[in-house]
Amino acid sequence: MSASYARLSESISKAKNVRIYKNKDTAYDFKLYPFGERGTYIDPGLISEITDNLADSVTQQFPAFDYIVSPEPGGHTWGMLAAYKLMKPMNILRLSTELYDNYEVCIKRETAYNENYIYFDGFKAGDRVLILDDVISSGATIRSIADQMADMGVHLVGVQAILAKGEHYKALEADYGIPVRVLSKV
């Protein structure tokens, strides 16, 4: 890992491990990365390092897209910061709640530790989008989003994440024929 990822590397190595129960029979060992969906305190130096490196990676790897798409709960913060830095629009994929009954499309997302619904709104066939997320674990979130985008005629140009756990991101590249880039891997 390069020196430009020093804070990110430290935050990954110091992340606490907790056990999350999806239901009474299914437990998942979850790392509490400060930059991840259940992280809390984030040092401003880490915010700056991640934001700058996301923007640099997106600029180098994904030169042509219309806007950034980021899912709640973990990706939307980083998507917003990168979109601001790149002066690109963004579309936040919201989690299930009664506030979003009027959204165009709703899909079920099931991960190893969670089950919920993602709401899509404001997409048009032919849009070229980049998914930006915090952590890729199994790839289930990205797969559910990519499949729905294909159904809507939205062109996914690639995926940018902060962290990939394991090698599942490579299967996303192969299965969807898109580049998947990450700042770090564990």
Side-chain angles (χ1 to χ4, degrees):
M1 189 172 288
S2 72
S4 65
Y5 297 132
R7 287 185 169 102
L8 178 59
S9 178
E10 181 181 7
S11 75
I12 292 167
S13 68
K14 290 184 175 182
K16 253 187 349 184
N17 198 38
V18 297
R19 182 155 283 182
I20 296 175
Y21 289 89
K22 182 175 181 177
N23 56 47
K24 65 183 181 85
D25 300 320
T26 306
Y28 181 79
D29 290 327
F30 191 91
K31 284 281 199 181
L32 289 176
Y33 301 112
F35 54 84
E37 67 184 57
R38 296 185 187 213
T40 53
Y41 180 84
I42 307 173
D43 179 86
L46 179 60
I47 295 170
S48 179
E49 181 178 292
I50 291 173
T51 303
D52 291 347
N53 283 293
L54 284 172
D56 289 346
S57 181
V58 167
T59 298
Q60 292 171 17
Q61 301 294 323
F62 305 101
F65 63 95
D66 299 321
Y67 53 92
I68 291 172
V69 174
S70 293
E72 286 183 324
H76 75 291
T77 300
W78 299 106
M80 191 173 298
L81 288 167
Y84 172 75
K85 183 132 180 119
L86 296 166
M87 294 307 296
K88 285 284 197 175
M90 79 170 292
N91 191 328
I92 299 172
L93 299 175
R94 298 291 183 181
L95 287 183
S96 56
T97 177
E98 66 281 352
L99 297 176
Y100 302 115
D101 286 341
N102 295 325
Y103 271 39
E104 296 171 1
V105 176
C106 172
I107 62 167
K108 184 176 183 177
R109 171 180 72 168
E110 187 170 355
T111 67
Y113 60 90
N114 200 357
E115 190 175 299
N116 54 32
Y117 291 87
I118 299 174
Y119 289 80
F120 291 70
D121 194 28
F123 292 90
K124 296 183 307 290
D127 287 353
R128 297 169 307 148
V129 303
L130 171 69
I131 294 175
L132 195 148
D133 206 359
D134 57 346
V135 178
I136 298 173
S137 295
S138 69
T141 298
I142 301 299
R143 285 180 185 282
S144 63
I145 294 167
D147 291 345
Q148 182 57 49
M149 287 180 168
D151 289 348
M152 297 183 325
V154 174
H155 177 68
L156 178 58
V157 302
V159 176
Q160 174 70 58
I162 298 169
L163 178 67
K165 293 168 57 179
E167 301 292 314
H168 297 287
Y169 75 99
K170 291 181 180 178
L172 291 170
E173 282 186 319
D175 294 347
Y176 291 94
I178 57 169
V180 177
R181 301 294 179 256
V182 297
L183 299 182
S184 187
K185 302 172 201 164
V186 292

